[in-house]
Amino acid sequence: MDIALVAPSPVPYQVGGAERLLTGLEHALSALGHRVEQIKLPVREHTLADLLDAYHQFAVLDLSHFDVVISGKYPAWMVEHPRHAVWMLHPLRGLYEKYPTARFVDVSIAPSHEWDRLAGLLDRPTAAADPLEIIDAAQALVAIHEPDDPAVGLPGPVARTVVQRLDEIALDRTRIRNHTAISATVARRPGYFPVETRPRIAHPPSNLAVVPPSSTQGVSTTAPALFVAPGRLDRAKRLDLIADAFGRTTGDHRLLVVGDGPERSAIAERIAGDDRIELTGAVDDTELAELYRDATAVIFTPEDEDYGFVTAEAFAHDTPVITTTDSCLLYTSDAADEDC
């Protein structure tokens, strides 16, 4: 079969778990004999206008020349295709459980034709809703406000309501052939999937090759302990928590913060003066695997992680992981669905 893997390309560009998952899926499907292509469109998330443009790009994308379409993130699942499967990583979390539940109707906003039109379109039943009409009406509403107006800012009630409604339409059972989640954590979050849908769970394997033990591994040594904190340097990964905790320790052990991202400057400022901590920047897969192998422990403390390749990759190298009680949700009601 000819399979399209559809995804956003973040602006500015960065490589994280989503990109690695997509590459691993491409390799796995290709190994089964399918012809696979990654189709990515640039997505900016600085303003609601940016987001609406991105949702529009995917909504009008014609992939009818492929047999199957697979998407995993917003706004790529806006693509219409008769054989569209979603393997969900997550929606825009800042507009879901990480944002207050107030609806946009509670916001003080001047009455206008654009407001009335958007409200009417959002209230239509899903079967009758047209995402392109909603996007157009939302763009018109945004256009009559100043860019920094909190009424249409990110995050905000208008953005939350419009984006969630677009996701509801895109993920409806009439549009999506197969609903799957990368973890039980994702599958059980409220509002992610249609209420009448029980998504399957398929844990993504890492495509990072395991590096065999070195000849000196296991030999007694007086070398200082090595801690490794891999991952994208953004706020949700809470590298500040790691840096602060490590800074309170004593001894000559070392911490390598491996990766890059928007919080790099903030982390660099936070660790200034502690020469035991090093920001390595991004490394290639071979070096990353060697760090997993050689680390005394890996530190991974994101807030309510969706899945997290870091833990799986560290365990593959027999390396323990230091984490926090709120980094991953553990559901004990169904042992088969537990993630961590």
Side-chain angles (χ1 to χ4, degrees):
M1 288 192 296
D2 294 338
I3 302 175
L5 305 181
V6 191
S9 177
V11 179
Y13 182 67
Q14 55 187 328
V15 177
E19 288 70 33
R20 296 182 64 189
L21 182 149
L22 201 67
T23 299
L25 180 57
E26 179 185 4
H27 293 166
L29 292 172
S30 297
L32 293 173
H34 301 293
R35 298 197 303 178
V36 185
E37 183 172 355
Q38 289 193 33
I39 297 177
K40 305 181 78 173
L41 301 179
V43 171
R44 294 171 176 82
E45 297 183 8
H46 304 299
T47 66
L48 178 54
D50 288 338
L51 269 179
L52 292 170
D53 287 341
Y55 271 82
H56 182 269
Q57 285 187 79
F58 283 102
V60 299
L61 185 60
D62 182 5
L63 297 180
S64 57
H65 55 302
F66 286 92
D67 300 313
V68 173
V69 165
I70 301 174
S71 63
K73 282 186 66 177
Y74 69 96
W77 48 51
M78 289 301 302
V79 171
E80 284 202 69
H81 193 278
R83 299 184 70 186
H84 185 169
V86 166
W87 189 19
M88 184 183 288
L89 286 73
H90 58 79
L92 204 173
R93 295 190 64 189
L95 299 181
Y96 278 75
E97 74 277 4
K98 292 182 175 295
Y99 186 74
T101 57
R103 303 293 284 185
F104 77 83
V105 293
D106 298 323
V107 175
S108 177
I109 203 167
S112 66
H113 168 72
E114 289 80 5
W115 175 257
D116 293 339
R117 180 183 173 220
L118 176 59
L121 293 171
L122 291 170
D123 284 341
R124 286 183 181 177
T126 298
D130 184 338
L132 292 177
E133 283 190 316
I134 292 174
I135 293 169
D136 182 68
Q139 287 172 327
L141 179 65
V142 169
I144 64 173
H145 290 80
E146 294 297 324
D148 59 348
D149 190 326
V152 292
L154 279 178
V158 173
R160 182 179 190 272
T161 303
V162 171
V163 168
Q164 286 200 22
R165 187 68 180 118
L166 290 171
D167 290 344
E168 288 172 1
I169 296 167
L171 297 171
D172 189 71
R173 292 194 304 172
T174 61
R175 294 169 58 103
I176 300 301
R177 176 73 66 90
N178 182 291
H179 293 83
T180 302
I182 62 169
S183 66
T185 299
V186 171
R188 299 188 189 194
R189 286 192 182 130
Y192 277 27
F193 290 93
V195 293
E196 71 279 9
T197 300
R198 190 175 191 274
R200 296 190 298 178
I201 298 166
H203 295 130
S206 170
N207 59 342
L208 185 72
V210 176
V211 174
S214 64
S215 58
T216 59
Q217 200 161 10
V219 177
S220 177
T221 177
T222 57
L226 173 64
F227 298 91
V228 176
R232 191 173 66 255
L233 306 189
D234 67 23
R235 195 168 301 173
K237 302 302 180 182
R238 299 196 297 193
L239 274 302
D240 55 338
L241 183 67
I242 298 174
D244 290 351
F246 193 87
R248 296 185 182 189
T249 66
T250 59
D252 58 355
H253 40 266
R254 300 166 55 218
L255 169 64
L256 300 183
V257 178
V258 182
D260 213 340
E263 290 293 299
R264 181 182 177 89
S265 296
I267 296 299
E269 183 177 346
R270 206 174 199 101
I271 67 174
D274 192 338
D275 58 9
R276 301 172 304 163
I277 308 177
E278 178 185 348
L279 295 179
T280 69
V283 301
D284 62 29
D285 282 358
T286 299
E287 187 174 354
L288 178 60
E290 290 172 350
L291 288 172
Y292 278 128
R293 178 197 63 188
D294 297 338
T296 305
V298 166
I299 308 178
F300 187 53
T301 62
E303 181 182 359
D304 189 18
E305 181 71 3
D306 304 307
Y307 175 66
F309 280 119
V310 170
T311 301
E313 291 169 349
F315 285 175
H317 287 88
D318 294 327
T319 301
V321 174
I322 299 172
T323 188
T324 61
T325 56
D326 63 347
S327 287
C328 183
L329 299 180
L330 179 62
Y331 294 97
T332 56
S333 60
D334 185 353
D337 284 347
E338 290 178 6
D339 295 326
C340 53

